[in-house]
Amino acid sequence: MAKIRVKDLLIRTYIGFNPDELVNKQDVVINLEIETDIPESALESDEPEDIFNYKVITKKIIALVQEGRFKLLEVLTKRILDTIMEDEKVKWARVEVDKPHALRFAESVSMEMEASRQS
């Protein structure tokens, strides 16, 4: 089992339900942790066949977030997690999405969710 981490993925999207949030994109910061198996054959051959491709999933997440409109941070976080879990190679995943400056006196507000595949 291996753990892949994608750290501080910064994307702009429509997030929130206040009038200005409905018309202006804002930054969100996404952190992912994904557990997957790495086949022994990939470790021996140093070839990317049959491994979980973190570049592909990151591109899917970027497209989802950039093209979407979300009122709730919870919904955005769940959709990212669902996108990751679509790949059968994923055994477990955790997603944290930060919305910088969502509160006046706070650096950010974040939502974290995780899922695992039943054995």
Side-chain angles (χ1 to χ4, degrees):
M1 190 71 72
K3 188 175 285 188
I4 298 166
R5 289 187 178 95
V6 177
K7 299 179 183 182
D8 300 330
L9 183 61
L10 179 63
I11 307 173
R12 294 187 62 73
T13 191
Y14 294 99
I15 181 76
F17 47 84
N18 293 321
D20 62 312
E21 294 173 322
L22 296 173
V23 295
N24 296 309
K25 283 190 170 187
Q26 300 174 69
D27 292 336
V28 291
V29 180
I30 302 168
N31 286 284
L32 316 171
E33 288 183 69
I34 300 166
E35 285 187 359
T36 184
D37 289 325
I38 299 176
E40 192 63 34
S41 59
L43 295 173
E44 291 172 4
S45 68
D46 196 21
E47 293 296 331
E49 295 170 28
D50 298 325
I51 64 163
F52 177 79
N53 190 327
Y54 57 83
K55 186 175 182 179
V56 169
I57 197 66
T58 301
K59 284 183 176 185
K60 285 183 182 179
I61 292 167
I62 291 169
L64 168 77
V65 176
Q66 284 182 333
E67 296 167 12
R69 288 182 170 264
F70 310 93
K71 291 181 182 174
L72 300 175
L73 194 56
E74 294 86 344
V75 171
L76 173 57
T77 306
K78 179 71 165 87
R79 293 219 179 120
I80 293 168
L81 184 60
D82 290 346
T83 299
I84 294 167
M85 294 304 293
E86 287 173 1
D87 191 315
E88 293 293 322
K89 293 180 182 87
V90 175
K91 305 299 182 196
W92 172 89
R94 176 182 293 140
V95 175
E96 181 181 19
V97 180
D98 280 84
K99 183 179 175 185
H101 313 294
L103 296 174
R104 184 174 175 196
F105 296 109
E107 179 79 21
S108 71
V109 172
S110 71
M111 173 63 54
E112 184 175 293
M113 293 183 182
E114 65 181 66
S116 60
R117 194 164 313 286
Q118 301 299 324
S119 300

